[in-house]
Amino acid sequence: MGIELDVKSFDDALKILSKDYKIFAPIRLKGKGAFSDTDLVTYGEISSYKDIELNEKSRYSPKEVIYPITQTLFYFTEDEYREPEIDDKRIIVFLRPCDANSYLKLDNIFLKNGPYEDNYYKRLRDKVKFFVIECTKGFSTCFCVSTGSNKFLDYDVFFRFDNDKITCDVKNDEFSYAFSGKEVEFAPEFIEKNEIDVKLPDIDKISQNLEYVFNHELWDEYTKRCIACGRCTASCPTCSCFSMQDIFYKDNPKCGERRRVWASCMIDGFTDVAGGHSYRQKYGERMRFKVMHKIYDYKKRFGTTMCIGCGRCDDVCPEYISFIKIVSKVTDAVER
Amino acid sequence: MTNVYMQRKAEIISIIPQTDIDYTFRLKSDILPQHGQFLQVSIPKIGEAPISISDYTDEYIELTIRKVGTVTDTIHELKPGDFLFIRGPYGHGFPVENFKNKNVVIAAGGTGLAPVKSIINRYNRNPKEIKNLNILVGFKSPKDILFEDEIKKWEKSFDVLLTVDNGDETWTGNTGLITKFVPELKIENPNDTIVIVVGPPMMMKFTCLEFLKRGIPEENIWVSFERKMSCGIGKCGHCKINETYVCLEGPVFNYTKSKQLLD
């Protein structure tokens, strides 16, 4: 059973929930886009229905809710260091099924890879509740069906936004108190076919032809076209790499912070080691590393493809490089 | 919740200059690492870097650090009595249990000698653990030679071949790359010989190939990789090669694995 809401009752629910939760959703920032007079659709805190941008794909993903671009790990003073406090409030994220799946991909790295859980990630991740936005049409560069990320059933509340008519399915009883309205028949729907169908390569076939794929001429094109700006990885909901950064304050050099900041395999300096050596200097080699991570070696390690098929990397590339086309080329190469 | 990024204080007991830019820092510590493991070493407000452990006892550990960047430049300014901050040890070391009663050859280039120094000293203390030890060490020039005093000590117990890429007018020893000397090495039974190769990437690649030519089975060759790391615990992605995280599965790899690590 679902509950039918109008805008007022939806806003009332947000108001009730906001006492205990910070609520994030895709929002539109007027004039903040990459080009003159364009808007930026990204994730931010909301307080009412009118704040949510439902008609356009967000340029950045909801990953920064649990994995901030810059995160202070320690504050240092002269002779001690201290972990920063975090907000007591729990977190609600309105997100599409693909993006909800991306959280599970990040979990593999931050919680399951290696012998330790990353506590900075975990303490935010444990607070998150999924308010999934029904997505049955997708956008022109989406291919979530191909990556198996079109469905997400482990939601807390599921929403269908049909103009000003809102229907929801409250799966987690914890939220029942906030939503009241007419009970209606409701079954969540998921997109079954994208405009784009991408055939992912068989990872066993890649394993059998690893050197062939790695040395394939297809990567050379990206040495010429890619400018290593890292936009694709900044917009990707599953990219999780970071660098450490220590700073001290100008007005008191005895105090400072250790931060972690998003980093990327596409940008200069990522693989530098002592003595001036670095790996993957050609941009085509970096592209190969990124693409293979998304579709091949992450799957070998965790049993699931890393890419969720949101297509943001294609949307944001200033050189019009298409990840989708690269994946197709890899598939063609291994099935030669 | 345990904070895995939390470091602990370690007092510098002594500093032993090796060259103009390589110092060995002896820190008070009861860490007993595997040979070849590394620590994340930091100075608050400056930064953190992965450093291999060059030697240890149950009272101290030694880190041989080259002055090559912001963190290491600052470490080189420290004095005995100052503190470094450490977390670890991380990664897998050399499986020395499997090397017992074998012939062992260690080929190290430059600072690559640091992560294997503790193994050499282990065999120096317990020579009966293995059949014999051959050491090949190469440096760029005579002024780059590390652990000179210890190399002299090792020469008393083992076959040591020290070479420099380019000598100077005072240099009377060997010149040339390590690869030049591998064909001349006395290897009686390749199947019973363990080879450890550590150094710059090119040196490791071609040195391994030379040992393969000598009939050493691939599975008898061990290498140690150097990669940038920000976490050391499989999160930050810097050290990743394909599906392998050098910080987790390495830095020590068997050749059969390392040859698959295309980068």
Side-chain angles (χ1 to χ4, degrees), chain B residues 38 43 63 67 75 80 106 114-115 124 129 171 174 231-232 238 255:
Chain B
F38 67 95
I43 299 183
L63 307 171
K67 194 173 183 254
I75 291 175
I106 294 178
N124 210 7
E129 191 176 328
W171 181 252
N174 298 302
C231 69
H238 283 277
Y255 184 81

Side-chain angles (χ1 to χ4, degrees), chain A residues 150-161:
Chain A
N150 53 325
K151 293 182 181 168
F152 188 82
L153 297 169
D154 199 16
Y155 54 81
D156 293 280
V157 188
F158 189 94
F159 289 89
R160 176 178 295 159
F161 293 99

Side-chain angles (χ1 to χ4, degrees), chain B residues 186-223:
Chain B
K186 202 173 133 196
I187 298 174
E188 278 176 9
N189 183 357
N191 290 320
D192 203 32
T193 301
I194 298 291
V195 173
I196 295 172
V197 181
V198 189
M202 281 302 195
M203 172 266 171
M204 286 205 289
K205 181 179 173 182
F206 289 104
T207 306
C208 287
L209 290 175
E210 287 298 325
F211 278 109
L212 289 172
K213 279 189 214 161
R214 295 293 312 271
I216 306 288
E218 288 185 356
E219 58 271 21
N220 287 16
I221 302 177
W222 295 84
V223 297

Side-chain angles (χ1 to χ4, degrees), chain A residues 60-188:
Chain A
Y60 296 105
S61 77
K63 86 175 169 195
E64 57 188 292
V65 173
I66 48 167
Y67 175 43
I69 300 170
T70 300
Q71 191 171 25
T72 301
L73 305 188
F74 300 108
Y75 291 105
F76 299 116
T77 57
E78 272 176 80
D79 50 9
E80 62 173 10
Y81 40 84
R82 185 169 61 79
E83 288 176 62
E85 300 293 323
I86 57 165
D87 200 324
D88 287 338
K89 277 191 168 179
R90 286 168 282 169
I91 296 166
I92 286 168
V93 192
F94 280 89
L95 73 188
R96 291 183 167 76
C98 60
D99 285 339
N101 275 295
S102 75
Y103 274 33
L104 308 184
K105 316 284 180 183
L106 293 175
D107 289 352
N108 281 334
I109 301 288
F110 287 111
L111 304 179
K112 296 176 188 164
N113 202 38
Y116 309 108
E117 288 185 332
D118 184 301
N119 54 303
Y120 292 96
Y121 177 86
K122 186 172 168 57
R123 67 185 193 171
L124 285 171
R125 178 69 176 85
D126 283 349
K127 289 169 177 286
V128 171
K129 299 294 175 189
F130 293 108
F131 279 25
V132 170
I133 302 167
E134 188 173 77
C135 182
T136 53
K137 294 198 180 103
F139 299 95
S140 61
T141 49
C142 297
F143 57 105
C144 57
V145 177
S146 304
T147 56
S149 312
N150 53 325
K151 293 182 181 168
F152 188 82
L153 297 169
D154 199 16
Y155 54 81
D156 293 280
V157 188
F158 189 94
F159 289 89
R160 176 178 295 159
F161 293 99
D162 185 8
N163 293 318
D164 288 350
K165 196 175 120 191
I166 303 157
T167 321
C168 68
D169 174 32
V170 184
K171 199 181 229 179
N172 184 345
D173 292 339
E174 190 183 320
F175 295 104
S176 302
Y177 76 102
F179 297 96
S180 59
K182 193 172 90 177
E183 286 203 352
V184 291
E185 282 296 323
F186 179 59

Side-chain angles (χ1 to χ4, degrees), chain B residues 2-241:
Chain B
T2 313
N3 188 340
V4 290
Y5 297 100
M6 188 66 82
Q7 57 265 245
R8 54 191 180 276
K9 256 180 165 181
E11 188 188 340
I12 299 172
I13 307 167
S14 60
I15 300 172
I16 307 140
Q18 303 287 337
T19 70
D20 292 345
I21 55 166
D22 301 281
Y23 290 1
T24 294
F25 294 80
R26 186 172 286 179
L27 311 178
K28 200 184 276 182
S29 157
D30 55 3
I31 292 172
L32 291 172
Q34 297 166 25
H35 306 285
Q37 280 189 307
F38 67 95
L39 294 175
Q40 287 288 115
V41 179
S42 67
I43 299 183
K45 303 183 284 288
I46 305 298
E48 199 172 36
I51 306 283
S52 58
I53 298 167
S54 54
D55 221 331
Y56 66 92
T57 67
D58 49 11
E59 288 175 358
Y60 66 78
I61 51 166
E62 280 184 8
L63 307 171
T64 300
I65 301 174
R66 177 166 285 184
K67 194 173 183 254
V68 282
T70 320
V71 177
T72 51
D73 285 358
T74 314
I75 291 175
H76 270 239
E77 288 168 13
L78 298 176
K79 304 277 175 290
D82 290 341
F83 292 91
L84 275 172
F85 288 79
I86 55 174
R87 58 187 175 92
Y90 295 128
H92 285 283
F94 293 95
V96 284
E97 289 302 310
N98 301 341
F99 303 167
K100 282 185 176 164
N101 303 317
K102 307 263 186 191
N103 304 301
V104 177
V105 181
I106 294 178
T111 48
L113 184 54
V116 291
K117 182 167 90 93
S118 65
I119 303 188
I120 300 174
N121 281 336
R122 174 195 177 106
Y123 294 145
N124 210 7
R125 287 190 302 272
N126 310 296
K128 288 185 179 161
E129 191 176 328
I130 49 170
K131 273 189 193 158
N132 63 52
L133 178 64
N134 267 296
I135 303 167
L136 286 173
V137 275
F139 297 96
K140 272 187 186 160
S141 71
K143 70 177 175 49
D144 297 311
I145 296 173
L146 300 175
F147 312 123
E148 231 172 335
D149 294 343
E150 282 180 286
I151 291 171
K152 279 181 191 141
K153 264 190 243 163
W154 300 335
E155 280 171 344
K156 288 176 192 158
S157 316
F158 309 118
D159 288 329
V160 180
L161 191 140
L162 171 66
T163 177
V164 295
D165 298 354
N166 301 297
D168 55 21
E169 60 281 0
T170 61
W171 181 252
T172 54
N174 298 302
T175 53
L177 304 175
I178 279 181
T179 44
K180 180 178 140 186
F181 297 95
V182 176
E184 298 167 12
L185 211 61
K186 202 173 133 196
I187 298 174
E188 278 176 9
N189 183 357
N191 290 320
D192 203 32
T193 301
I194 298 291
V195 173
I196 295 172
V197 181
V198 189
M202 281 302 195
M203 172 266 171
M204 286 205 289
K205 181 179 173 182
F206 289 104
T207 306
C208 287
L209 290 175
E210 287 298 325
F211 278 109
L212 289 172
K213 279 189 214 161
R214 295 293 312 271
I216 306 288
E218 288 185 356
E219 58 271 21
N220 287 16
I221 302 177
W222 295 84
V223 297
S224 178
F225 278 25
E226 185 189 9
R227 281 295 187 281
K228 184 173 183 167
M229 289 169 200
S230 284
C231 69
I233 51 172
K235 315 293 180 194
C236 76
H238 283 277
C239 71
K240 192 175 153 291
I241 308 170

Side-chain angles (χ1 to χ4, degrees), chain A residues 273-326:
Chain A
V273 293
H277 196 80
S278 70
Y279 304 88
R280 305 189 296 269
Q281 284 173 323
K282 287 182 186 169
Y283 296 167
E285 292 170 344
R286 296 182 196 179
M287 185 65 79
R288 179 190 68 202
F289 179 82
K290 181 191 72 179
V291 172
M292 296 299 269
H293 188 197
K294 298 290 174 192
I295 61 170
Y296 168 67
D297 56 59
Y298 182 95
K299 188 167 184 180
K300 264 186 95 179
R301 199 170 176 92
F302 300 111
T304 169
T305 301
M306 189 181 198
C307 174
I308 54 143
C310 69
R312 286 186 177 95
C313 49
D314 282 23
D315 297 336
V316 301
C317 180
E319 297 295 307
Y320 305 107
I321 292 169
S322 167
F323 177 82
I324 294 164
K325 283 195 178 151
I326 302 173

